[in-house]
Amino acid sequence: MKKHNFSAGPCILPKEVFKKSSDALLNFNELNLSLIEISHRSKDFVTVMDKSISLVRELLNVPNGYSVLFLQGGASLQFCMIPYNFLKKDGKAAYIETGTWARKAAKEAKLFGDTKIIASSADNNFNYIPKNYTVDENLNYLHFTSNNTIFGTQIKKFPSIKPPIICDMSSDIFSKKIDVSKFGLIYAGAQKNMGPAGTTLVIIKDNLLGHTNREIPTMLNYQTHIDKGSMFNTPPVFSIYASMLTLEWLKKNGGVDWIEKVNNKKANMMYNEIDRNTLFCGTAKTTDRSTMNATFLLTQASLKNEFELACKNEGISGINGHRSVGGYRASMYNALSIESVEKLITIMQQLEKKYI
Ligand code: PMP
């Protein structure tokens, strides 16, 4: 049976990425050796690293003066690397608290110095993006989470401000055009739109580094990884290789311009059905809804088992909501087809036909 994988992450990747990366595990580049048994300093792997970096630069139009890094430790390690490298000893940082991940990021920064949450949507279980706040011009940085994977909200417009903006784009990187020059640092765990878990993409404006007067441990210092081209230590070769394949797939099909249209189409279809069908209701504020993760509830709790069984029978997987929201979450990352969204919508419509 064909599967329709709506998992929030790790998640669906293009079929050809699974195929090519599994081939490379057995025989990489006709070497009769596996990708994961050769030196990361070999010409064959260095080519993968170089290609991955140049694809990120090309697809996101990364300006000069920015470095592209493939690190480890997930997006979660960035929560502490950011203040370590950007928050001056007598400086201050601010965070917009739009969900669990933003809160976790701010918690780490508090270990390093003056960190304020200047806006939060915790008062309504993070179902909206707060927009009324003033930004102190003297901040070392302001931190955002662009897409709140758990709560299904997404920032549509970033403010124009003087302090550098640092943004966790783990769950919407490569899903639409972005203007990298507006950011001081962008980071994203690979395991949504880029590849398998194991590497974290960091795009960093070089001239913001080196101003904190802190002694930074070597591995936690961005400059180390810039100087060594993400090869200071052994990189996660499989995750980077599969990410390269995903980015090649994206480029071949038309890049972020193309995928943005596809993603908007999928999200519009999904939200139209959630709004139209009286058996379902969305949980996020309409204007702040995420194109990546649509969160919704059944209006008649008694239909839970029947809906879930129908999904299972039709090959739909991964739509259970996060425990802090409940209900359902349809994650519609780049590799999810329009056909999969249609399938889910059909099930919702069949349920409505039967009961309404
Ligand atoms: N930020 C966001 C927006 C996320 O969705 C996640 C997890 N999926 C994380 C951070 C944490 O990422 P990781 O597991 O790579 O540390």
Side-chain angles (χ1 to χ4, degrees):
M1 187 207 319
K2 187 172 175 359
K3 283 294 220 180
H4 303 278
N5 183 7
F6 287 83
S7 172
C11 65
I12 188 170
L13 290 170
K15 274 266 167 325
E16 67 186 62
V17 171
F18 292 135
K19 169 81 178 71
K20 288 182 187 170
S21 54
S22 49
D23 288 348
L25 280 180
L26 296 173
N27 181 1
F28 179 49
N29 279 1
E30 306 300 327
L31 297 171
N32 278 327
L33 292 166
S34 169
L35 164 72
I36 59 170
E37 67 177 328
I38 61 164
S39 167
H40 58 291
R41 310 234 176 248
S42 64
K43 194 175 119 291
D44 289 273
F45 186 74
V46 170
T47 305
V48 170
M49 181 65 98
D50 291 347
K51 210 167 180 190
S52 306
I53 293 170
S54 78
L55 280 163
V56 172
R57 287 195 170 279
E58 185 182 344
L59 287 164
L60 295 180
N61 209 2
V62 177
N64 290 335
Y66 283 76
S67 294
V68 173
L69 305 175
F70 285 95
L71 305 183
Q72 299 187 61
S76 299
L77 187 63
Q78 297 305 305
F79 298 164
C80 92
M81 278 179 76
I82 288 160
Y84 227 146
N85 286 264
F86 287 92
L87 180 50
K88 295 181 185 165
K89 277 188 177 155
D90 55 353
K92 43 193 168 178
Y95 282 68
I96 308 295
E97 189 190 52
T98 49
T100 310
W101 300 112
R103 180 175 274 174
K104 286 187 177 176
K107 178 171 175 255
E108 298 302 291
K110 283 177 185 162
L111 300 172
F112 291 86
D114 186 350
T115 302
K116 291 209 167 45
I117 297 200
I118 57 168
S120 172
S121 47
D123 59 350
N124 230 339
N125 200 28
F126 298 117
N127 75 349
Y128 68 102
I129 301 288
K131 297 182 188 78
N132 292 324
Y133 48 86
T134 37
V135 178
D136 178 345
E137 293 220 323
N138 298 313
L139 290 176
N140 293 153
Y141 65 87
L142 175 61
H143 181 282
F144 290 93
T145 308
S146 55
N147 185 71
N148 299 284
T149 327
I150 294 174
F151 300 94
T153 62
Q154 187 175 29
I155 298 175
K156 308 287 172 187
K157 195 171 179 294
F158 289 89
S160 292
I161 54 167
K162 201 168 152 228
I165 293 181
I166 290 186
C167 190
D168 176 357
M169 295 194 186
S170 291
S171 52
D172 65 357
I173 190 106
F174 297 113
S175 70
K176 58 177 182 169
K177 286 184 290 296
I178 49 166
D179 180 355
V180 173
S181 71
K182 283 195 159 173
F183 299 88
L185 185 147
I186 292 167
Y187 64 103
Q191 65 271 21
K192 270 76 156 149
N193 280 331
M194 202 171 74
T199 192
T200 311
L201 174 66
V202 175
I203 304 172
I204 186 166
K205 191 171 187 181
D206 301 325
N207 68 9
L208 295 176
L209 291 173
H211 304 302
T212 59
N213 277 333
R214 287 182 196 277
E215 289 282 332
I216 306 174
T218 313
M219 272 295 282
L220 301 181
N221 192 334
Y222 289 115
Q223 198 61 56
T224 305
H225 302 288
I226 293 174
D227 293 344
K228 298 289 182 191
S230 298
M231 292 270 209
F232 171 73
N233 68 324
T234 318
V237 292
F238 180 76
S239 177
I240 294 172
Y241 180 68
S243 297
M244 181 197 84
L245 296 175
T246 310
L247 298 180
E248 281 179 341
W249 167 85
L250 182 57
K251 181 179 165 183
K252 187 178 73 187
N253 282 292
V256 286
D257 285 330
W258 162 72
I259 203 69
E260 182 168 6
K261 289 190 199 110
V262 176
N263 287 334
N264 284 338
K265 180 165 183 193
K266 289 184 292 187
N268 283 337
M269 285 164 61
M270 193 65 222
Y271 287 120
N272 283 342
E273 182 59 21
I274 289 169
D275 292 342
R276 190 204 59 76
N277 190 325
T278 53
L279 288 181
F280 296 91
C281 66
T283 64
K285 188 177 167 191
T286 315
T287 49
D288 299 330
R289 282 170 161 176
S290 164
T291 52
M292 296 283 97
N293 316 95
T295 48
F296 57 100
L297 305 170
L298 257 174
T299 53
Q300 296 184 23
S302 56
L303 297 180
K304 179 178 185 293
N305 289 345
E306 186 167 346
F307 176 58
E308 290 174 13
L309 186 65
C311 286
K312 192 170 164 226
N313 289 341
E314 293 293 335
I316 288 185
S317 73
I319 62 158
N320 277 347
H322 189 272
R323 60 194 173 280
S324 51
V325 183
Y328 303 96
R329 170 173 48 171
S331 295
M332 301 171 285
Y333 295 118
N334 286 359
L336 186 90
S337 67
I338 290 175
E339 181 205 340
S340 292
V341 177
E342 283 168 348
K343 177 64 82 180
L344 177 55
I345 289 173
T346 303
I347 295 169
M348 293 162 79
Q349 290 175 344
Q350 282 167 348
L351 199 68
E352 184 195 39
K353 246 195 207 131
K354 190 164 166 194
Y355 288 98
I356 303 288

